[in-house]
Amino acid sequence: MSDKKSALTIKKAVFPVAGIGTRFLPATKANPKEMMPVVDKPLIQYAVEEAIKAGITELIFVTSSSKRAIEDHFDSNFELESKLKAQDRKELLEIVQSILPSGISCVYIRQPEALGLGHAILCAKPAVGNDPFAVLLADDLIDGQNGASCLTQMITQFQAVNDSIVAVEKINLKDSSKYGIVGVEKSFSHFGKINQIVEKPKPSAAPSHFGVVGRYLLTADIFTQLECVKPGANGEIQLTDAIAALLNKRSVYALAFSGKRYDCGTKLGYLQAIVAHGLKHPEVAKDFKQYLENIV
Ligand code: G1P
């Protein structure tokens, strides 16, 4: 691989998982929201699998004291594995042992206080260093299209531009205050430079219909901006504000990816994800479809 090509290869991904899942209380009182299952896999595993398939080899979790279950999930479980071996339950053993393929490493960094997404990303700086890196928010479960995940589509574009990229999708303007909203050129169809980005604006202040979803590819100079931004929306250090500052220095792009995103940060989106994934799960798909047909 040439030096230029290797510089454009993304090997590290940051998973900010320190946030408290207030929208799912009481389920998230003692359990991390990222560990909520969609059929039989926790949300965080879907995000990790997307990253690994896209070529990521170093997973950096920005975590907090109440999120230990995430570390345990990606660690080996000697007692469980010994029991499954003794009972000769090979399939289950394979499922448990393949959660993290060989060659993938995990780094856990504590975010001491929930000061916002931007602050969480800044906590990852010592582990990221100077390399471009991905950020995946496990709340957004994204099914790619034609075998290419959202992150894979972004990495393909990154290799052409070598600038930061945010994943976007068309949103209903009445929901603009739930998202970072980008401003794009009139000619924008699915990939192009952004000219502004605003965190959670009112519909009247939204620069477009394109809302940022939880996938980012960032160049390491985002850290310089994160070190300077002041608390923004909700009094938090916002990644969006750092991206807005980065825009004064270099280009940032938006990709309207191909695929389907489920907003598992909301009850409705989470239920939609369960239905969609239940309908394609080899073990239950047929019976689940029949059940749905009967009750609807
Ligand atoms: C975060 C970002 C926001 C983005 C969203 C995508 O908001 O701050 O810009 O649109 O993720 O899920 P949050 O959902 O954490 O409030």
Side-chain angles (χ1 to χ4, degrees):
M1 195 182 283
S2 74
D3 282 355
K4 181 142 196 286
K5 183 89 178 161
S6 69
L8 296 174
T9 307
I10 313 271
K11 290 286 166 204
K12 298 179 181 182
V14 176
F15 300 85
V17 293
I20 312 161
T22 48
R23 268 180 278 186
F24 280 95
L25 283 169
T28 50
K29 181 168 176 252
N31 292 310
K33 62 176 175 162
E34 296 81 7
M35 288 301 292
M36 298 209 332
V38 170
V39 190
D40 53 8
K41 275 193 290 193
L43 281 169
I44 188 67
Q45 193 177 332
Y46 285 92
V48 161
E49 285 177 2
E50 180 180 338
I52 293 172
K53 277 199 190 124
I56 301 291
T57 54
E58 194 171 317
L59 315 174
I60 302 162
F61 297 89
V62 180
T63 178
S64 70
S65 57
S66 58
K67 301 292 182 109
R68 291 199 180 91
I70 295 175
E71 279 176 63
D72 291 344
H73 185 72
F74 292 105
D75 198 357
S76 52
N77 181 334
F78 181 73
E79 202 184 335
L80 174 65
E81 289 173 34
S82 311
K83 266 195 190 137
L84 293 174
K85 257 181 223 157
Q87 295 167 353
D88 201 28
R89 302 177 78 179
K90 291 196 183 74
E91 267 179 41
L92 284 181
L93 186 63
E94 161 68 16
I95 287 173
V96 169
Q97 290 181 332
S98 64
I99 290 175
L100 213 60
S102 60
I104 307 295
S105 61
C106 295
V107 175
Y108 295 92
I109 294 178
R110 283 285 180 95
Q111 184 182 14
E113 247 185 294
L115 298 178
L117 177 60
H119 179 260
I121 304 302
L122 191 53
C123 291
K125 183 183 172 190
V128 171
N130 291 323
D131 301 324
F133 63 103
V135 174
L136 293 95
L137 308 185
D139 277 2
D140 281 327
L141 197 170
I142 305 182
D143 291 336
Q145 215 167 58
N146 302 329
S149 70
C150 177
L151 191 60
T152 299
Q153 294 169 40
M154 293 170 81
I155 290 176
T156 303
Q157 296 291 356
F158 181 79
Q159 282 159 353
V161 297
N162 195 16
D163 285 309
S164 296
I165 302 176
V166 296
V168 297
E169 73 175 8
K170 250 196 180 150
I171 57 130
N172 201 323
L173 256 200
K174 73 172 172 42
D175 294 328
S176 64
S177 61
K178 294 181 185 162
Y179 297 92
I181 307 285
V182 295
V184 287
E185 308 284 318
K186 269 212 175 84
S187 58
F188 181 86
S189 65
H190 78 288
F191 184 69
K193 285 183 187 174
I194 66 173
N195 47 38
Q196 56 172 313
I197 182 166
V198 192
E199 182 67 6
K200 303 193 168 91
K202 290 194 182 110
S204 57
S208 79
H209 283 74
F210 287 100
V212 176
V213 303
R215 301 290 182 276
Y216 304 79
L217 281 188
L218 299 168
T219 49
D221 44 7
I222 193 70
F223 292 123
T224 314
Q225 307 307 325
L226 281 169
E227 276 157 355
C228 300
V229 292
K230 301 267 176 299
N234 301 332
E236 296 179 341
I237 306 286
Q238 296 291 353
L239 178 58
T240 298
D241 295 342
I243 296 173
L246 186 63
L247 264 180
N248 296 323
K249 313 259 172 215
R250 63 190 287 182
S251 302
V252 176
Y253 289 79
L255 173 69
F257 60 95
S258 304
K260 171 80 185 146
R261 163 209 179 228
Y262 299 95
D263 179 2
C264 294
T266 67
K267 293 184 179 81
L268 183 61
Y270 178 62
L271 291 172
Q272 288 166 344
I274 291 175
V275 171
H277 284 256
L279 284 172
K280 55 185 178 184
H281 191 288
E283 197 181 313
V284 294
K286 197 165 153 260
D287 292 344
F288 186 49
K289 183 165 185 272
Q290 205 162 54
Y291 170 74
L292 289 179
E293 278 165 2
N294 288 344
I295 61 163
V296 173

